[in-house]
Amino acid sequence: KSSPFYIRLNTVIEKTSLSKSSIYRCIAEGAFPRQVSLGARTVAWVNSEIDECVPIDCLKDDLLALAAYTLLE
């Protein structure tokens, strides 16, 4: 079995198009993979876990608000 490939927060943001606050909110709600500590001040995520994750449940309110805003324009 190969070692996991880790990615940093900026890459997670690029891959998911989520904001930093949305990522951490989804983690708190259990709908997004938790970060892994790589050192005293360094965290990262397992790339394959991010690729498999679709945090729709924790973003439901954001998506509804965006849809409502789009319809009002």
Side-chain angles (χ1 to χ4, degrees):
K1 182 177 178 180
S2 64
S3 298
F5 175 63
Y6 296 104
I7 57 175
R8 300 293 305 273
L9 180 59
N10 286 342
T11 305
V12 175
I13 291 170
E14 288 176 16
K15 290 182 90 160
T16 62
S17 298
L18 297 174
S19 68
K20 179 179 176 180
S21 60
S22 292
I23 289 169
Y24 282 105
R25 183 166 42 87
C26 290
I27 290 170
E29 294 177 11
F32 199 81
R34 295 193 70 77
Q35 66 273 35
V36 177
S37 177
L38 298 180
R41 296 179 52 193
T42 306
V43 297
W45 284 257
V46 177
N47 186 56
S48 60
E49 291 179 3
I50 299 304
D51 287 343
E52 295 168 3
C53 179
V54 182
I56 296 298
D57 289 340
C58 75
L59 298 174
K60 180 174 34 184
D61 293 338
D62 293 342
L63 294 171
L64 290 172
L66 178 61
Y69 176 78
T70 304
L71 290 174
L72 293 175
E73 285 191 325

Coordinates of all heavy atoms in Angstrom, one line a residue:
K1 N 0.8 -1.2 0.0 CA 0.0 0.0 0.0 C 0.9 1.2 0.0 O 1.8 1.4 0.8 CB -0.9 0.0 1.2 CG -1.9 1.1 1.3 CD -2.7 0.9 2.6 CE -3.7 2.1 2.6 NZ -4.6 2.0 3.8
S2 N 0.6 2.2 -0.8 CA 1.4 3.4 -0.9 C 1.0 4.4 0.1 O -0.1 4.4 0.7 CB 1.3 4.0 -2.3 OG 0.0 4.5 -2.5
S3 N 1.9 5.3 0.4 CA 1.7 6.4 1.4 C 0.7 7.4 0.8 O 0.7 7.6 -0.4 CB 3.0 7.1 1.7 OG 3.9 6.2 2.3
P4 N -0.1 8.0 1.7 CA -1.0 9.0 1.2 C -0.3 10.2 0.7 O 0.8 10.6 1.1 CB -1.9 9.3 2.4 CG -1.2 8.8 3.6 CD -0.2 7.8 3.1
F5 N -0.9 10.9 -0.3 CA -0.5 12.1 -0.9 C -1.2 13.2 -0.2 O -2.4 13.3 -0.2 CB -0.7 12.1 -2.4 CG -0.4 13.4 -3.1 CD1 0.9 13.8 -3.1 CD2 -1.3 14.1 -3.7 CE1 1.3 15.0 -3.7 CE2 -1.0 15.3 -4.4 CZ 0.3 15.7 -4.4
Y6 N -0.5 14.2 0.4 CA -1.1 15.2 1.2 C -1.1 16.5 0.4 O -0.2 16.8 -0.4 CB -0.3 15.5 2.5 CG -0.4 14.3 3.5 CD1 0.7 13.5 3.6 CD2 -1.5 14.1 4.2 CE1 0.7 12.4 4.5 CE2 -1.6 13.0 5.1 CZ -0.5 12.1 5.2 OH -0.5 11.1 6.0
I7 N -2.2 17.3 0.6 CA -2.3 18.6 0.0 C -2.6 19.7 1.1 O -3.2 19.4 2.1 CB -3.4 18.6 -1.1 CG1 -4.7 18.2 -0.6 CG2 -3.0 17.8 -2.3 CD1 -5.9 18.3 -1.6
R8 N -2.1 20.9 0.8 CA -2.3 22.0 1.8 C -3.6 22.7 1.5 O -4.3 22.5 0.5 CB -1.1 22.9 1.7 CG 0.2 22.3 2.0 CD 0.4 21.9 3.4 NE 0.2 22.9 4.3 CZ 1.1 23.8 4.8 NH1 2.3 23.8 4.3 NH2 0.7 24.7 5.6
L9 N -4.0 23.6 2.4 CA -5.3 24.3 2.4 C -5.5 25.0 1.1 O -6.6 24.9 0.5 CB -5.4 25.3 3.6 CG -6.7 26.1 3.7 CD1 -7.9 25.1 3.8 CD2 -6.6 27.0 4.8
N10 N -4.5 25.7 0.6 CA -4.7 26.4 -0.7 C -5.1 25.5 -1.8 O -6.0 25.9 -2.7 CB -3.5 27.2 -1.1 CG -3.3 28.4 -0.2 OD1 -4.2 28.9 0.4 ND2 -2.1 29.0 -0.2
T11 N -4.6 24.3 -1.9 CA -4.9 23.3 -2.9 C -6.3 22.8 -2.7 O -7.1 22.6 -3.6 CB -3.9 22.2 -2.9 OG1 -2.6 22.8 -3.1 CG2 -4.2 21.2 -4.1
V12 N -6.7 22.6 -1.4 CA -8.1 22.1 -1.1 C -9.1 23.2 -1.5 O -10.1 22.8 -2.2 CB -8.2 21.8 0.4 CG1 -9.7 21.5 0.8 CG2 -7.3 20.7 0.9
I13 N -8.8 24.4 -1.3 CA -9.7 25.5 -1.7 C -9.8 25.5 -3.2 O -10.9 25.6 -3.8 CB -9.1 26.9 -1.2 CG1 -9.3 26.9 0.3 CG2 -9.8 28.0 -1.9 CD1 -8.6 28.1 1.0
E14 N -8.7 25.4 -4.0 CA -8.7 25.3 -5.4 C -9.5 24.1 -5.9 O -10.3 24.3 -6.9 CB -7.3 25.3 -6.0 CG -6.5 26.5 -5.9 CD -5.1 26.4 -6.3 OE1 -4.8 25.4 -7.0 OE2 -4.2 27.2 -6.0
K15 N -9.3 23.0 -5.3 CA -10.0 21.8 -5.8 C -11.5 21.8 -5.6 O -12.2 21.2 -6.3 CB -9.4 20.5 -5.2 CG -8.0 20.2 -5.7 CD -7.4 18.9 -5.0 CE -7.8 17.8 -6.0 NZ -7.0 16.6 -5.8
T16 N -11.9 22.4 -4.4 CA -13.3 22.3 -4.0 C -14.1 23.6 -4.3 O -15.3 23.5 -4.3 CB -13.4 22.0 -2.5 OG1 -12.8 23.1 -1.8 CG2 -12.8 20.7 -2.1
S17 N -13.4 24.7 -4.6 CA -14.0 26.0 -4.8 C -14.7 26.4 -3.5 O -15.6 27.3 -3.6 CB -15.0 26.0 -6.0 OG -14.3 25.7 -7.1
L18 N -14.4 25.9 -2.4 CA -14.9 26.3 -1.1 C -14.0 27.3 -0.4 O -12.8 27.3 -0.6 CB -15.1 25.1 -0.1 CG -16.0 24.0 -0.6 CD1 -15.9 22.8 0.4 CD2 -17.4 24.5 -0.7
S19 N -14.6 28.2 0.4 CA -13.8 29.1 1.1 C -13.2 28.4 2.3 O -13.7 27.3 2.7 CB -14.7 30.3 1.6 OG -15.6 29.9 2.6
K20 N -12.2 29.1 2.9 CA -11.6 28.5 4.1 C -12.6 28.3 5.2 O -12.7 27.2 5.9 CB -10.5 29.4 4.6 CG -9.8 29.0 5.9 CD -8.7 30.0 6.2 CE -8.0 29.6 7.5 NZ -6.9 30.6 7.9
S21 N -13.5 29.3 5.5 CA -14.5 29.2 6.5 C -15.5 28.1 6.2 O -15.9 27.4 7.1 CB -15.2 30.5 6.8 OG -15.8 30.9 5.6
S22 N -15.9 27.9 5.0 CA -16.8 26.8 4.6 C -16.2 25.4 4.8 O -16.8 24.5 5.3 CB -17.2 26.9 3.1 OG -18.0 28.0 2.9
I23 N -14.9 25.3 4.5 CA -14.2 24.0 4.8 C -14.2 23.7 6.2 O -14.6 22.6 6.6 CB -12.7 24.1 4.2 CG1 -12.8 24.1 2.7 CG2 -11.9 22.9 4.7 CD1 -11.4 24.5 2.0
Y24 N -13.8 24.6 7.1 CA -13.8 24.4 8.5 C -15.2 24.2 9.1 O -15.3 23.4 10.0 CB -13.0 25.4 9.2 CG -11.5 25.3 9.1 CD1 -10.8 26.1 8.2 CD2 -10.8 24.2 9.7 CE1 -9.4 25.9 8.0 CE2 -9.5 24.0 9.5 CZ -8.7 24.8 8.7 OH -7.4 24.6 8.5
R25 N -16.2 24.8 8.6 CA -17.5 24.6 9.0 C -18.0 23.2 8.7 O -18.6 22.5 9.5 CB -18.5 25.6 8.4 CG -19.9 25.5 9.0 CD -20.8 26.7 8.6 NE -20.6 27.2 7.3 CZ -21.2 26.8 6.2 NH1 -22.1 25.8 6.3 NH2 -21.0 27.3 5.0
C26 N -17.7 22.8 7.5 CA -18.0 21.4 7.1 C -17.3 20.4 7.9 O -17.9 19.3 8.2 CB -17.8 21.2 5.6 SG -18.9 22.2 4.5
I27 N -16.0 20.6 8.2 CA -15.3 19.7 9.1 C -16.0 19.6 10.4 O -16.2 18.5 11.0 CB -13.8 20.2 9.3 CG1 -13.1 20.0 8.0 CG2 -13.2 19.4 10.4 CD1 -11.7 20.7 8.0
A28 N -16.4 20.7 11.0 CA -17.1 20.7 12.3 C -18.4 20.0 12.3 O -18.8 19.4 13.3 CB -17.3 22.2 12.8
E29 N -19.1 20.0 11.1 CA -20.3 19.3 11.0 C -20.1 17.8 10.6 O -21.1 17.1 10.4 CB -21.2 20.0 9.9 CG -21.6 21.4 10.4 CD -22.4 22.1 9.3 OE1 -22.8 21.5 8.3 OE2 -22.7 23.4 9.5
G30 N -18.9 17.4 10.4 CA -18.6 16.0 10.0 C -18.9 15.7 8.6 O -19.0 14.5 8.2
A31 N -19.0 16.7 7.7 CA -19.3 16.5 6.3 C -18.1 16.7 5.4 O -18.2 16.7 4.2 CB -20.4 17.5 5.9
F32 N -16.9 16.8 6.0 CA -15.7 17.1 5.2 C -14.5 16.4 5.9 O -14.5 16.4 7.1 CB -15.4 18.6 5.1 CG -14.5 19.0 3.9 CD1 -15.0 19.1 2.7 CD2 -13.2 19.2 4.2 CE1 -14.2 19.5 1.6 CE2 -12.3 19.6 3.2 CZ -12.8 19.7 1.9
P33 N -13.6 15.9 5.1 CA -12.4 15.2 5.8 C -11.7 16.1 6.7 O -11.5 17.3 6.4 CB -11.6 14.8 4.6 CG -12.5 14.8 3.4 CD -13.5 15.8 3.7
R34 N -11.2 15.6 7.8 CA -10.4 16.3 8.8 C -9.0 16.4 8.3 O -8.5 15.6 7.6 CB -10.4 15.7 10.2 CG -11.8 15.6 10.8 CD -11.8 15.3 12.2 NE -11.2 16.3 13.1 CZ -11.8 17.5 13.4 NH1 -13.0 17.7 13.0 NH2 -11.2 18.3 14.2
Q35 N -8.4 17.5 8.7 CA -7.0 17.7 8.3 C -6.1 16.8 9.2 O -6.5 16.4 10.2 CB -6.6 19.2 8.5 CG -6.6 19.7 9.9 CD -8.0 20.2 10.4 OE1 -9.0 19.7 10.0 NE2 -8.0 21.2 11.2
V36 N -4.9 16.6 8.7 CA -3.9 15.8 9.4 C -2.7 16.6 9.8 O -2.3 17.4 9.0 CB -3.4 14.6 8.4 CG1 -2.3 13.8 9.1 CG2 -4.6 13.8 8.0
S37 N -2.3 16.5 11.0 CA -1.1 17.3 11.5 C 0.2 16.7 10.9 O 0.4 15.5 11.1 CB -1.1 17.3 13.0 OG 0.1 18.0 13.5
L38 N 0.9 17.5 10.3 CA 2.2 17.1 9.7 C 3.4 17.6 10.5 O 4.5 17.3 10.3 CB 2.4 17.6 8.3 CG 1.4 17.0 7.3 CD1 1.7 17.6 5.9 CD2 1.3 15.5 7.3
G39 N 3.1 18.5 11.5 CA 4.2 19.0 12.4 C 3.5 20.0 13.3 O 2.3 20.1 13.4
A40 N 4.4 20.8 14.0 CA 3.9 21.7 15.1 C 2.9 22.7 14.5 O 1.9 23.0 15.2 CB 5.1 22.4 15.7
R41 N 3.1 23.2 13.3 CA 2.3 24.3 12.8 C 1.9 24.0 11.3 O 1.6 24.9 10.6 CB 3.0 25.6 12.8 CG 3.3 26.1 14.2 CD 4.1 27.4 14.3 NE 3.4 28.4 13.4 CZ 3.9 29.5 13.1 NH1 5.1 29.8 13.4 NH2 3.2 30.4 12.3
T42 N 1.8 22.7 11.0 CA 1.5 22.4 9.6 C 0.4 21.3 9.5 O 0.5 20.3 10.2 CB 2.8 21.8 8.9 OG1 3.8 22.8 9.0 CG2 2.5 21.5 7.4
V43 N -0.6 21.6 8.8 CA -1.7 20.6 8.6 C -1.9 20.4 7.1 O -1.5 21.3 6.3 CB -3.0 21.0 9.2 CG1 -2.9 21.1 10.7 CG2 -3.6 22.3 8.7
A44 N -2.4 19.3 6.7 CA -2.7 19.0 5.3 C -3.9 18.0 5.2 O -4.3 17.5 6.3 CB -1.5 18.4 4.6
W45 N -4.4 17.8 4.1 CA -5.5 16.8 3.8 C -5.0 15.7 2.9 O -4.1 15.9 2.1 CB -6.7 17.5 3.2 CG -7.4 18.4 4.1 CD1 -8.6 18.1 4.7 CD2 -7.1 19.7 4.6 NE1 -9.1 19.1 5.5 CE2 -8.1 20.1 5.5 CE3 -6.1 20.6 4.4 CZ2 -8.2 21.3 6.1 CZ3 -6.0 21.8 5.1 CH2 -7.1 22.2 5.9
V46 N -5.6 14.5 3.1 CA -5.3 13.4 2.2 C -6.0 13.7 0.9 O -7.2 13.9 0.8 CB -5.7 12.1 2.8 CG1 -5.5 10.9 1.8 CG2 -5.0 11.8 4.1
N47 N -5.2 13.8 -0.2 CA -5.7 14.1 -1.5 C -6.9 13.3 -2.0 O -7.9 13.8 -2.4 CB -4.6 14.1 -2.5 CG -5.0 14.6 -3.9 OD1 -5.5 15.7 -4.0 ND2 -4.9 13.7 -4.9
S48 N -6.8 12.0 -1.8 CA -7.8 11.0 -2.2 C -9.1 11.3 -1.5 O -10.2 11.1 -2.0 CB -7.4 9.6 -2.1 OG -7.1 9.3 -0.8
E49 N -9.0 11.7 -0.2 CA -10.2 11.9 0.6 C -10.9 13.2 0.1 O -12.2 13.3 0.0 CB -9.9 12.1 2.1 CG -9.5 10.8 2.8 CD -9.1 11.0 4.2 OE1 -9.2 12.2 4.7 OE2 -8.7 10.1 4.8
I50 N -10.2 14.2 -0.3 CA -10.8 15.4 -0.9 C -11.4 15.1 -2.2 O -12.5 15.6 -2.5 CB -9.7 16.5 -1.0 CG1 -9.1 16.9 0.4 CG2 -10.3 17.8 -1.7 CD1 -10.1 17.3 1.4
D51 N -10.7 14.3 -3.0 CA -11.3 13.9 -4.4 C -12.6 13.2 -4.2 O -13.5 13.3 -5.1 CB -10.3 13.1 -5.1 CG -9.1 13.8 -5.7 OD1 -9.2 15.1 -5.7 OD2 -8.1 13.2 -6.0
E52 N -12.8 12.4 -3.2 CA -14.0 11.7 -3.0 C -15.1 12.4 -2.3 O -16.3 12.0 -2.2 CB -13.7 10.4 -2.2 CG -12.8 9.4 -2.9 CD -12.2 8.3 -2.0 OE1 -12.6 8.3 -0.8 OE2 -11.4 7.6 -2.5
C53 N -14.8 13.6 -1.7 CA -15.7 14.3 -0.8 C -16.6 15.3 -1.7 O -16.2 16.0 -2.5 CB -14.9 15.1 0.2 SG -16.0 16.1 1.3
V54 N -17.9 15.2 -1.4 CA -18.9 16.2 -1.9 C -19.7 16.6 -0.7 O -20.7 16.0 -0.3 CB -19.8 15.5 -3.0 CG1 -20.7 16.5 -3.5 CG2 -19.0 14.9 -4.0
P55 N -19.3 17.8 -0.1 CA -19.9 18.2 1.1 C -21.2 19.0 0.9 O -21.4 20.1 1.4 CB -18.9 19.1 1.8 CG -18.2 19.7 0.6 CD -18.2 18.6 -0.5
I56 N -22.2 18.3 0.2 CA -23.5 19.0 -0.1 C -24.3 19.3 1.2 O -24.8 20.4 1.3 CB -24.3 18.1 -1.1 CG1 -23.5 18.0 -2.4 CG2 -25.7 18.7 -1.3 CD1 -23.3 19.3 -3.1
D57 N -24.3 18.4 2.1 CA -25.2 18.6 3.3 C -24.8 19.8 4.1 O -25.7 20.6 4.4 CB -25.1 17.3 4.2 CG -25.8 16.1 3.6 OD1 -26.6 16.3 2.7 OD2 -25.5 15.0 4.1
C58 N -23.5 20.1 4.3 CA -23.2 21.2 5.1 C -23.3 22.5 4.3 O -23.3 23.6 4.9 CB -21.8 21.1 5.7 SG -20.5 21.3 4.6
L59 N -23.4 22.4 3.0 CA -23.5 23.6 2.2 C -24.9 23.9 1.7 O -25.1 24.8 0.9 CB -22.5 23.5 1.0 CG -21.1 23.3 1.3 CD1 -20.3 23.1 0.1 CD2 -20.6 24.6 2.0
K60 N -25.8 23.1 2.1 CA -27.2 23.2 1.7 C -27.7 24.6 1.8 O -28.3 25.2 0.9 CB -28.1 22.2 2.5 CG -29.5 22.2 2.2 CD -30.3 21.1 2.9 CE -29.7 20.8 4.2 NZ -30.2 19.7 5.0
D61 N -27.5 25.3 3.0 CA -28.0 26.6 3.2 C -27.4 27.6 2.3 O -28.0 28.5 1.8 CB -27.8 27.0 4.7 CG -28.7 26.2 5.6 OD1 -29.7 25.7 5.2 OD2 -28.4 26.1 6.8
D62 N -26.1 27.5 2.1 CA -25.3 28.4 1.2 C -25.9 28.2 -0.2 O -26.0 29.2 -0.9 CB -23.8 28.1 1.2 CG -23.2 28.4 2.5 OD1 -23.8 29.1 3.3 OD2 -22.1 27.9 2.8
L63 N -26.1 27.0 -0.7 CA -26.6 26.8 -2.0 C -28.0 27.3 -2.2 O -28.3 27.9 -3.2 CB -26.6 25.3 -2.3 CG -25.2 24.6 -2.4 CD1 -25.3 23.1 -2.5 CD2 -24.4 25.2 -3.6
L64 N -28.9 27.2 -1.2 CA -30.2 27.7 -1.3 C -30.2 29.3 -1.3 O -30.9 29.9 -2.1 CB -31.1 27.3 -0.1 CG -31.4 25.8 -0.1 CD1 -32.1 25.4 1.2 CD2 -32.3 25.5 -1.2
A65 N -29.3 29.9 -0.5 CA -29.2 31.3 -0.5 C -28.7 31.8 -1.9 O -29.2 32.8 -2.4 CB -28.3 31.8 0.6
L66 N -27.7 31.1 -2.4 CA -27.2 31.5 -3.8 C -28.3 31.4 -4.8 O -28.5 32.2 -5.7 CB -26.0 30.6 -4.1 CG -25.4 30.9 -5.5 CD1 -24.9 32.3 -5.6 CD2 -24.3 29.9 -5.8
A67 N -29.1 30.3 -4.8 CA -30.2 30.1 -5.7 C -31.2 31.2 -5.6 O -31.7 31.8 -6.6 CB -30.8 28.7 -5.5
A68 N -31.6 31.6 -4.4 CA -32.5 32.6 -4.2 C -32.0 33.9 -4.7 O -32.7 34.7 -5.3 CB -32.9 32.7 -2.7
Y69 N -30.8 34.2 -4.4 CA -30.2 35.5 -4.9 C -30.1 35.5 -6.4 O -30.5 36.6 -7.0 CB -28.7 35.6 -4.3 CG -28.0 36.8 -4.8 CD1 -28.2 38.1 -4.3 CD2 -27.0 36.7 -5.8 CE1 -27.5 39.2 -4.7 CE2 -26.4 37.8 -6.3 CZ -26.6 39.0 -5.8 OH -26.0 40.1 -6.2
T70 N -29.8 34.4 -7.0 CA -29.7 34.4 -8.5 C -31.1 34.6 -9.1 O -31.3 35.3 -10.1 CB -29.2 33.0 -8.9 OG1 -27.9 32.8 -8.3 CG2 -29.0 32.9 -10.4
L71 N -32.1 34.0 -8.5 CA -33.5 34.2 -9.0 C -34.0 35.7 -8.8 O -34.8 36.1 -9.6 CB -34.5 33.2 -8.2 CG -34.3 31.8 -8.6 CD1 -35.2 30.9 -7.7 CD2 -34.6 31.5 -10.0
L72 N -33.5 36.3 -7.8 CA -33.9 37.7 -7.6 C -33.3 38.7 -8.5 O -33.8 39.8 -8.6 CB -33.7 38.1 -6.1 CG -34.5 37.3 -5.1 CD1 -34.0 37.7 -3.7 CD2 -36.0 37.6 -5.2
E73 N -32.2 38.3 -9.1 CA -31.5 39.3 -10.0 C -32.3 39.5 -11.3 O -33.0 38.8 -11.8 CB -30.1 38.8 -10.4 CG -29.2 38.9 -9.2 CD -27.8 38.6 -9.7 OE1 -27.5 37.8 -10.5 OE2 -26.9 39.3 -9.2

